[in-house]
């Protein structure tokens, strides 16, 4: 891992550049990073003096819009016009709730708090002549209280709430006179508060102010239909910022030692195609949003060339003096990222037909490369939840986790100088054009209570924990385990089905060929000649497909192979007295050839698929599994398979993954009876001679509480596992009945859907197992807090979701979920032997260097090792899924191009793990396991058919004796001559 980090850091530094458009290399650089290793979650910590902050904006939270001499702002006016339904007149009433806000800040454990000054609260009409002492004292008090809890203020001079008087009399930011007015306002603030402030933001998100305030009209002051006005406004905003910076630099910096910047927001964009033109369009999209303001400040005092070429005379012009005045007027790069802009306030016209994305890490790298490696302070970051969400905000929490994790990777792997991170926001408030339709606070505000009661959300608890740990330090359970599995561990590979050949191909060609041994050795077919028909019985060796498949399985290095029979094809009429003898013979040959190759067959009698029932036609046409005759028919089918294949098969799966959500409770009830009947049939009639094992395999993806520290989510996770796994497991491995929690929940819903076991069926089903087999592929999060109706299950009252930091393909790749699933089995059913009967990941079949599958198998097997060595799970075997893309597209260890079979990289990696029987400790004594005896085909004959074997030996002796007699007789005659 350390070597990988070193390589990534080297790539980061070697790729970074300060040349014009250096950020253009960003997309190519990230495409070259090792996948999926680079996408894996990074466990590490932030630098020692990292800034942890939280923020708010005055208009969103302060309220008291006419209190104590405050003047109107453009938002006070804007929210009273048009079709707007709500205002920020009260907001979160922070003006009257300093104590509550300070308490929340202290609870979070941040070391910085970003807030904005309400310009019209300090200067009601925007100028110094209207100075309001009471309003100013509010901010003095706030800063003092912050200092008392050792939190540094990060103060924004202007966060979108221009005094309305300046808008009405001067036209707001469209008038160059505001440059001087803002300079004087900034000068007052530096003089008044500067001794206690070390970080200043002059203007927040000038793109939104200019483009949407004076262009689209989405935000205040709501001016629209003036296509060139936004660029003039942006020009004035830049000059106002520069004027304020120079005032601070000249008059206040020497004494106050603070730093000042402008908060610039940006989306991220990815090319829709791989062509260079798409990359240039991405670069231009960023230039039109972020570069519009960043390039003048950090590069040359002028606009990006892309903007100048596309906008021409519409873009204002900087004189040489103005360029020098603007250039370099930022002491750090203040970056805003997230819901205020991304996917909301970016017009399609500014995406230039490329794809918007939420990749903070790539954005940080682009800023680092494009603007000469500045220190970057993320001054706003986060996401949102719906307005009806209360204190459980899983979506916000996991987006926070994602953005913080990306900032950490940016520092550790990419070498970007990120100095701080600001979660947005401290409390719920008025969300600009979204009003109260969304919430972004870490603290829930009950707007219906007189004191605007604040309660910490789950996201606040999460953020506090991250701050306390200074990131995500690696824990013992996050580290790869070292050790080996037991000598008798079953290493396997699974396939839903095998390729079936209905007729032997060895002697199917009647043509006659001439072998051209004197030239190139090719076979030449002789026209007009054909061989006479052969009158012989087919042999197992005649099936080319069997040889090919067994060879492929051997090459993996496994000692077990799991596949499914086809009930409807084996017994098409449903009557086991008339089976498909050809197909039965093929299966018999296949299992025999597997044994001769030292591979143990594991055979499933019925594999559940959603596409078709795979039941014999008569049963399929008469209510399928709801037909009470189906379980008995299945038991008869099982007897047929035990009888015909049992000599070669010692592990049977009756039903594979019957616990599908599309299966009704009534169908499941009959499936349980079918399994039990089949198990008892083997136990009574075949076990004593065949000595095999029988069970069923359950689908068991893990369900993790979205908030592992919240009982309100732990209970729903348990409930889902009861309904998904316990539904079939508890009757068989436990009490003989469905899980009590399942019954209680359905009773609470007044549902009578769950059948009742009579005593006979209870005794029939209970204990019908020899091992516990699971198929495991992925993990989901569950919470009781409803957020998205598409992934909400009303019957169970649970919301499915994913952690946005997980690797996706297309299901989440979460290795530790397997360990938790195995421990669940142990906790519920003691020391039952467990097999992971299928575990794999879907990847593009065209990827023969299937790095995701290599990563997946290594890490999932490693988690299985932890379950065995650390947790004491009685794990008996692991089966990778699947053998080939031909039968299981996208999951195979083998790929296929037309008729050519391709060995993927994951196959050799899996074989290597098998050869080492796990992950042995470096330098430790090798594990000594007894070698498996090689198959003795003659011995099999002796064991299976003693009489035939005896006669074969006698005949062989006679032939050898006759041969010796003839040899010596001939030799003597020659000597006589």
């Amino acid at each position: 891992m350390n070597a990988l980090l070193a390589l990534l850091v080297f790539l980061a530094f070697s790729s970074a550049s300060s040349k014009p458009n250096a950020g253009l290399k960003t997309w190519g650089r990230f495409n070259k990073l090792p996948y999926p290793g680079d996408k894996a979650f990074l466990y590490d910590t932030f630098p020692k003096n990292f800034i942890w902050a939280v923020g708010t904006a005055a208009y969103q939270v302060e309220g008291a819009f006419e209190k104590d001499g405050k003047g109107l702002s453009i938002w006070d006016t804007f929210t009273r016009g048009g079709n707007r339904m709500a205002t920020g007149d009260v907001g979160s009433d922070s003006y009257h709730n300093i104590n509550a806000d300070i308490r929340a800040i202290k609870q979070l454990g941040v070391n910085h708090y970003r807030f904005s000054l309400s310009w019209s609260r300090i200067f009601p009409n925007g100028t110094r002549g209207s100075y309001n002492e009471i309003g100013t004292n509010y901010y003095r008090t706030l800063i003092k209280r912050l200092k008392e809890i050792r939190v540094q203020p990060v103060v924004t001079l202007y966060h979108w709430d221009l005094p309305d008087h300046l808008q009405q009399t001067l036209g707001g930011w469209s008038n160059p006179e505001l440059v001087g007015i803002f300079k004087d306002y900034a000068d007052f603030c530096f003089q008044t508060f500067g001794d206690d402030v070390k970080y200043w933001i002059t203007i927040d998100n000038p793109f939104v102010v200019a483009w949407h305030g004076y262009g689209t009209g989405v935000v205040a002051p709501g001016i629209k239909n003036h296509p060139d006005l936004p660029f003039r406004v942006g020009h004035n905003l830049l000059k106002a910022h520069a004027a304020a910076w120079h005032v601070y630099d000249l008059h206040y910096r020497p004494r106050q030692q603070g730093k000042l910047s402008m908060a610039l927001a940006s989306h991220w964009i990815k090319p829709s195609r791989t062509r260079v033109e798409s990359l240039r369009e991405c670069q231009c999209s960023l230039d039109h949003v972020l570069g519009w303001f960043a390039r003048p400040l950090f590069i040359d005092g002028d606009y990006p060339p892309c903007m100048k070429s596309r906008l021409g005379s519409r873009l204002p012009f900087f004189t040489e003096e103005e360029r020098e005045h603007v250039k370099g007027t930022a002491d750090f790069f203040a970056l805003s990222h997230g819901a205020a802009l991304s996917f909301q306030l970016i017009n399609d016209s500014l995406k230039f037909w490329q794809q918007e994305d939420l990749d903070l890490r790539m954005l940080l790298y682009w800023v680092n490369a494009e603007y000469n490696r500045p220190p970057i302070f993320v001054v706003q970051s986060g996401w949102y939840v719906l307005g009806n969400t209360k204190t459980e905000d899983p979506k916000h929490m996991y987006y926070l986790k994602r953005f913080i994790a990306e900032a950490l990777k940016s520092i550790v792997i990419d070498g970007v100088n990120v100095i701080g991170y600001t979660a947005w926001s401290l409390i719920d408030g008025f969300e600009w054009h979204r009003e109260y339709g969304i919430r972004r606070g870490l603290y829930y505000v009950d707007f219906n209570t007189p004191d605007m009661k604040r309660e910490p959300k789950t996201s606040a608890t999460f953020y506090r924990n991250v701050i306390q740990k200074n990131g995500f330090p690696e824990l013992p359970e996050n580290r790869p385990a070292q050790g080996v599995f037991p000598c008798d561990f079953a290493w396997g590979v699974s396939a839903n089905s095998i390729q079936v050949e209905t007729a032997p191909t060895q002697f199917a060609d009647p043509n006659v060929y001439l072998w051209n041994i004197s030239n190139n050795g090719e076979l030449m077919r002789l026209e007009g000649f054909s061989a006479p028909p052969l009158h012989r019985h087919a042999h197992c060796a005649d099936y080319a497909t069997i040889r090919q498949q067994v060879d492929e399985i051997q090459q993996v290095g496994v000692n077990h192979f799991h596949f499914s029979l086809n009930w409807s094809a084996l017994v098409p009429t449903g009557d086991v007295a008339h089976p498909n003898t050809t197909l039965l013979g093929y299966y018999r040959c296949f299992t025999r050839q597997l044994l001769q190759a030292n591979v143990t067959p594991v055979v499933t009698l019925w594999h559940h698929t959603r596409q078709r029932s795979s039941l014999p036609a008569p049963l399929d046409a008469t209510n399928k599994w709801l037909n009470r005759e189906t379980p008995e028919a299945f038991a008869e089918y099982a007897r047929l398979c035990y009888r015909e294949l049992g000599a070669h098969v010692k592990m049977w799966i009756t039903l594979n993954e019957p616990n599908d959500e599309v299966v009704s409770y009534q169908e499941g009830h009959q499936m349980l009876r079918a399994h039990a009947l089949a198990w008892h049939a083997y136990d009574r009639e075949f076990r004593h001679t065949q000595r095999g094992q029988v069970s069923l395999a359950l689908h068991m993806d893990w369900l993790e509480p979205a908030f592992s520290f919240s009982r309100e989510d732990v209970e729903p996770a348990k409930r889902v596992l009861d309904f998904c796994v316990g539904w079939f497991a508890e009757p068989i491995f436990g009490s003989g009945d469905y899980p009590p929690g399942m019954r209680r929940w359905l009773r609470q819903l007044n549902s009578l859907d769950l059948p009742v076991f009579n005593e006979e069926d209870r005794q029939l089903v209970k204990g019908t197992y020899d091992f516990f087999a699971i198929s495991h592929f992925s993990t989901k999060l569950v919470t009781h807090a409803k957020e998205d109706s598409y992934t909400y299950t009303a019957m169970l009252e649970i919301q499915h979701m994913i952690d946005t930091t997980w690797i996706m393909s297309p299901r989440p790749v979460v290795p530790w979920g397997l360990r938790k699933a195995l421990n669940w089995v142990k906790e519920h059913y003691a020391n039952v032997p467990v097999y992971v009967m299928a575990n794999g990941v879907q990847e593009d079949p065209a990827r023969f260097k299937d790095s995701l599958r290599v990563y997946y198998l290594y890490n999932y097997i490693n988690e299985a090792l932890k379950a065995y060595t650390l947790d004491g799970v009685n794990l008996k075997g692991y089966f990778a899924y699947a053998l080939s893309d031909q039968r299981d597209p996208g999951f195979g260890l083998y790929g296929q191009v037309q008729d050519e079979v391709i060995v993927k990289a994951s196959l050799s990696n899996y074989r290597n793990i098998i050869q080492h029987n796990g992950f042995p400790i470096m330098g430790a004594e090798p594990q000594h396991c007894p070698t498996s005896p090689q198959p003795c085909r003659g011995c099999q004959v002796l064991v299976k058919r003693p009489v035939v074997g005896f006669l074969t030996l006698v005949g062989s002796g006679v032939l050898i004796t006759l041969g010796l007699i003839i040899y010596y007789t001939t030799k003597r005659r020659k000597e006589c001559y």
Side-chain angles (χ1 to χ4, degrees):
M1 184 65 181
N2 290 333
L4 175 62
L5 284 177
L7 172 63
L8 294 174
V9 171
F10 170 77
L11 288 172
F13 280 104
S14 62
S15 301
S17 171
S18 60
K19 296 178 181 178
N21 285 333
L24 191 60
K25 298 179 181 179
T26 301
W27 294 274
R29 185 259 182 185
F30 277 85
N31 284 337
K32 293 176 183 175
L33 292 179
Y35 175 82
D38 181 65
K39 296 292 185 185
F41 192 83
L42 175 64
Y43 290 98
D44 210 327
T45 55
F46 286 86
K48 184 177 180 181
N49 296 319
F50 193 73
I51 296 172
W52 291 106
V54 67
T56 57
Y59 184 76
Q60 293 185 280
V61 301
E62 280 184 6
F65 84 110
E66 288 183 316
K67 190 76 177 287
D68 295 335
K70 177 187 174 293
L72 294 179
S73 75
I74 54 174
W75 275 93
D76 293 320
T77 305
F78 180 70
T79 53
R80 284 165 170 74
N83 298 320
R84 283 164 287 280
M85 305 294 293
T87 71
D89 291 357
V90 178
S92 314
D93 202 20
S94 286
Y95 188 78
H96 298 108
N97 278 285
I98 285 183
N99 290 338
D101 288 350
I102 291 294
R103 186 163 53 247
I105 294 166
K106 186 176 181 180
Q107 286 176 350
L108 283 177
V110 295
N111 48 42
H112 285 68
Y113 174 53
R114 183 189 169 198
F115 65 93
S116 72
L117 307 175
S118 171
W119 189 346
S120 59
R121 193 178 297 282
I122 296 172
F123 295 165
N125 71 5
T127 61
R128 194 184 289 255
S130 62
Y131 169 65
N132 178 17
E133 178 72 17
I134 299 177
T136 306
N137 285 339
Y138 165 72
Y139 297 111
R140 286 195 180 102
T141 302
L142 176 58
I143 292 171
K144 178 184 176 184
R145 294 298 305 278
L146 289 171
K147 289 289 188 176
E148 288 172 357
I149 61 170
R150 297 183 180 180
V151 171
Q152 296 296 321
V154 179
V155 179
T156 303
L157 297 175
Y158 177 69
H159 201 127
W160 307 4
D161 51 350
L162 185 72
D164 190 57
H165 180 76
L166 298 179
Q167 182 66 41
Q168 300 302 326
T169 59
L170 298 175
W173 287 109
S174 65
N175 193 326
E177 288 185 34
L178 248 70
V179 173
I181 295 172
F182 181 76
K183 174 184 175 183
D184 187 56
Y185 163 61
D187 180 67
F188 172 84
C189 294
F190 298 149
Q191 183 181 27
T192 306
F193 310 116
D195 289 342
D196 295 313
V197 178
K198 301 306 176 188
Y199 283 96
W200 291 96
I201 304 293
T202 55
I203 297 167
D204 181 85
N205 206 335
F207 169 81
V208 169
V209 175
W211 189 264
H212 292 294
Y214 293 84
T216 66
V218 171
V219 301
I223 296 171
K224 51 188 174 182
N225 301 323
H226 292 272
D228 297 342
L229 184 59
F231 304 114
R232 297 205 303 271
V233 168
H235 203 67
N236 291 332
L237 289 168
L238 277 166
K239 291 198 286 186
H241 159 80
W245 187 90
H246 283 290
V247 165
Y248 188 82
D249 192 57
L250 182 62
H251 299 293
Y252 299 99
R253 192 191 302 276
R255 179 168 56 87
Q256 296 178 358
Q257 296 294 305
K259 295 180 179 180
L260 185 144
S261 191
M262 178 189 248
L264 306 180
S266 186
H267 61 314
W268 181 246
I269 198 90
K270 288 188 176 180
S272 56
R273 299 182 182 180
T274 55
R275 297 186 303 190
V276 175
E277 291 80 0
S278 293
L279 291 178
R280 288 178 181 147
E281 292 298 287
C282 288
Q283 181 84 1
C284 201
S285 174
L286 293 172
D287 277 343
H288 274 73
V289 178
L290 183 57
W292 180 2
F293 300 94
R295 187 179 178 96
L297 298 182
F298 290 91
I299 301 297
D300 57 9
D302 203 357
Y303 297 115
C306 174
M307 285 189 76
K308 293 169 74 173
S309 65
R310 298 199 181 192
L311 295 171
S313 60
R314 296 177 59 194
L315 200 61
F317 176 78
F318 283 114
T319 65
E320 184 62 33
E321 182 182 356
E322 288 172 336
R323 281 201 295 270
E324 290 300 318
H325 191 69
V326 170
K327 184 175 69 172
T329 57
D331 303 318
F332 57 94
F333 200 112
L335 180 65
S336 177
H337 173 264
L341 187 66
S342 299
F343 290 96
Q344 293 191 51
L345 292 176
I346 291 293
N347 300 68
D348 288 340
S349 62
L350 293 176
K351 298 177 188 176
F352 301 127
W353 306 105
Q354 308 309 308
Q355 297 174 349
E356 190 175 359
D357 195 73
L358 270 179
D359 201 313
L360 175 59
R361 180 184 172 191
M362 290 185 73
L363 177 59
L364 288 167
Y365 187 87
W366 186 88
V367 169
N368 180 71
E370 188 78 4
Y371 302 115
N372 300 322
R373 300 181 49 79
I376 303 173
F377 186 177
V378 180
V379 294
Q380 182 177 156
S381 178
W383 205 239
Y384 65 92
V385 292
L386 297 178
N388 58 1
T389 304
K390 297 189 182 299
T391 56
E392 294 87 10
D393 57 342
K395 187 166 78 169
H396 189 192
M397 183 185 81
Y398 281 104
Y399 271 105
L400 266 182
K401 180 183 178 184
R402 170 182 172 175
F403 296 146
I404 295 170
E406 288 180 357
L408 180 61
K409 281 186 176 180
S410 188
I411 296 169
V412 175
I413 297 176
D414 305 333
V416 177
N417 185 17
V418 182
I419 63 171
Y421 180 88
T422 307
W424 200 269
S425 63
L426 174 65
I427 53 179
D428 293 332
F430 179 82
E431 289 299 334
W432 308 114
H433 64 294
R434 301 290 296 272
E435 299 178 348
Y436 295 101
I438 62 171
R439 291 174 180 263
R440 297 189 62 194
L442 298 176
Y443 279 75
Y444 170 76
V445 175
D446 187 344
F447 297 114
N448 296 318
T449 57
D451 59 348
M452 298 286 175
K453 183 180 178 183
R454 281 103 160 106
E455 292 182 68
K457 299 182 186 177
T458 318
S459 55
T461 305
F462 165 78
Y463 192 45
R464 181 177 66 239
N465 290 339
V466 172
I467 294 170
Q468 286 174 349
K469 297 173 183 177
N470 200 32
F472 310 98
E474 187 177 52
L475 301 173
E477 59 263 32
N478 304 136
R479 300 184 190 120
Q482 289 185 301
V484 292
F485 291 95
C487 288
D488 61 349
F489 195 70
W491 289 104
V493 64
S494 293
N496 282 341
S497 60
I498 60 172
Q499 185 177 350
V500 174
E501 188 179 16
T502 55
T505 56
Q506 182 72 21
F507 301 100
D509 187 354
N511 294 300
V512 177
Y513 295 87
L514 178 66
W515 187 11
N516 186 4
I517 60 173
S518 62
N519 191 4
N520 54 13
E522 290 185 354
L523 292 175
M524 300 175 59
R525 187 163 64 88
L526 296 178
E527 300 291 341
F529 291 88
S530 61
L534 288 174
H535 299 288
R536 63 187 285 277
H537 294 293
H539 299 290
C540 291
D542 297 342
Y543 293 97
T545 55
I546 290 181
R547 294 198 308 274
Q548 178 188 343
Q549 290 177 94
V550 172
D551 287 346
E552 289 175 356
I553 294 164
Q554 274 190 296
Q555 190 173 345
V556 179
V558 295
N559 50 38
H560 286 66
F561 177 63
H562 173 216
F563 69 98
S564 301
L565 305 179
N566 188 329
W567 182 8
S568 61
L570 269 174
V571 191
T573 65
D575 183 359
V576 295
H578 301 92
N580 183 335
T581 54
T582 303
L583 182 57
L584 199 56
Y586 184 87
Y587 284 135
R588 191 183 301 114
C589 282
F590 187 80
T591 54
R592 182 185 302 167
Q593 294 298 107
L594 282 174
L595 273 183
Q596 290 182 358
N598 270 351
V599 177
T600 300
V602 182
V603 177
T604 288
L605 296 175
W606 181 75
H607 184 98
H608 169 70
T609 59
R610 293 188 176 188
Q611 290 77 18
R612 57 186 185 278
S613 72
S614 298
L615 299 178
L619 296 174
D620 190 62
T622 54
N623 287 332
K624 301 180 175 62
W625 282 103
L626 292 177
N627 185 339
R628 287 196 59 87
E629 295 180 5
T630 301
E632 283 72 17
F634 180 77
E636 289 303 315
Y637 160 62
R639 285 187 177 89
L640 170 69
C641 296
Y642 299 152
R643 186 167 55 250
E644 297 295 330
L645 306 178
H648 310 120
V649 179
K650 304 306 175 188
M651 282 188 74
W652 293 94
I653 302 293
T654 55
L655 309 173
N656 193 75
E657 301 183 5
N659 55 324
D660 191 300
E661 60 185 10
V662 302
V663 174
S664 70
Y665 297 136
Q666 289 78 13
E667 289 174 315
H669 200 73
Q670 296 305 319
M671 289 179 185
L672 282 165
R673 292 186 66 252
H675 157 78
L677 290 169
W679 188 89
H680 283 294
Y682 190 87
D683 192 55
R684 293 166 183 162
E685 303 169 32
F686 300 94
R687 190 187 299 274
H688 64 286
T689 56
Q690 297 180 2
R691 302 195 179 281
Q693 294 182 310
V694 183
S695 197
L696 82 172
L698 300 178
H699 183 93
M700 190 181 181
D701 282 351
W702 182 245
L703 282 305
E704 179 74 3
F707 310 123
S708 57
F709 40 81
S710 166
R711 178 170 180 171
E712 290 179 312
D713 276 357
V714 170
E715 289 304 318
K718 290 180 178 178
R719 181 162 64 245
V720 178
L721 286 167
D722 271 349
F723 273 82
C724 293
V725 184
W727 172 24
F728 273 77
E730 187 61 23
I732 295 170
F733 299 90
S735 63
D737 197 0
Y738 296 114
M742 190 176 179
R743 283 209 181 276
R744 280 196 304 270
W745 186 260
L746 290 172
R747 196 178 301 121
Q748 174 185 316
L749 298 177
N750 296 318
S751 171
L752 301 176
D753 291 342
L754 195 63
V756 176
F757 282 103
N758 58 40
E759 189 57 34
E760 181 184 352
D761 282 348
R762 186 192 300 268
Q763 295 304 319
L764 174 71
V765 172
K766 183 179 179 181
T768 54
Y769 69 90
D770 296 309
F771 53 87
F772 197 115
I774 66 170
S775 300
H776 175 89
F777 298 93
S778 186
T779 292
K780 285 183 181 179
L781 297 173
V782 292
T783 175
H784 73 287
K786 183 176 181 180
E787 176 66 30
D788 183 353
S789 58
Y790 290 104
T791 54
Y792 185 76
T793 304
M795 193 272 284
L796 294 177
E797 295 183 8
I798 54 105
Q799 175 78 60
H800 286 285
M801 58 181 300
I802 62 167
D803 183 335
T804 53
T805 64
W806 288 344
I807 299 169
M808 299 293 296
S809 180
R811 289 182 284 193
V813 175
V814 191
W816 51 258
L818 175 58
R819 182 182 179 185
K820 293 203 172 191
L822 292 171
N823 272 280
W824 185 94
V825 175
K826 178 194 172 190
E827 290 164 8
H828 283 74
Y829 306 113
N831 202 38
V832 61
V834 187
Y835 289 85
V836 178
M837 202 55 69
N839 179 237
V841 66
Q842 189 172 14
E843 192 169 9
D844 183 355
R847 278 182 180 262
F848 301 131
K849 291 184 178 179
D850 50 345
S851 53
L852 176 61
R853 187 170 291 104
V854 170
Y855 173 90
Y856 183 99
L857 291 176
Y858 178 94
N859 285 281
Y860 273 80
I861 295 171
N862 198 266
E863 292 296 325
L865 179 66
K866 292 177 186 177
Y868 170 70
T869 58
L870 302 178
D871 309 330
V873 175
N874 188 15
L875 185 61
K876 293 294 187 180
Y878 173 91
F879 289 68
Y881 178 82
L883 180 64
S884 171
D885 283 338
Q886 184 181 19
R887 313 301 295 177
D888 304 286
F891 285 91
L893 299 173
Y894 288 97
Q896 190 145 359
V897 176
Q898 295 178 345
D899 294 331
E900 183 182 0
V901 175
I902 307 294
V903 177
K904 296 185 184 179
S906 57
L907 188 150
S908 58
N909 279 270
Y910 183 39
R911 183 173 60 225
N912 183 58
I913 293 172
I914 295 171
Q915 287 171 349
H916 291 88
N917 204 28
F919 309 91
I921 300 170
M922 293 289 290
E925 185 179 347
Q927 184 182 28
H928 297 291
C929 292
T931 55
S932 302
Q934 294 298 314
C936 171
R937 297 178 185 180
C939 298
Q940 287 181 0
V941 171
L942 287 173
V943 172
K944 303 293 183 184
R945 302 181 180 88
V947 176
V948 175
F950 174 78
L951 292 176
T952 301
L953 287 175
V954 171
S956 299
V958 170
L959 288 172
I960 292 169
T961 303
L962 287 172
L964 290 171
I965 292 170
I966 293 169
Y967 173 80
Y968 283 109
T969 302
T970 304
K971 184 177 181 182
R972 187 176 300 170
R973 285 178 180 175
K974 286 182 179 180
E975 288 174 352
C976 291
Y977 284 108

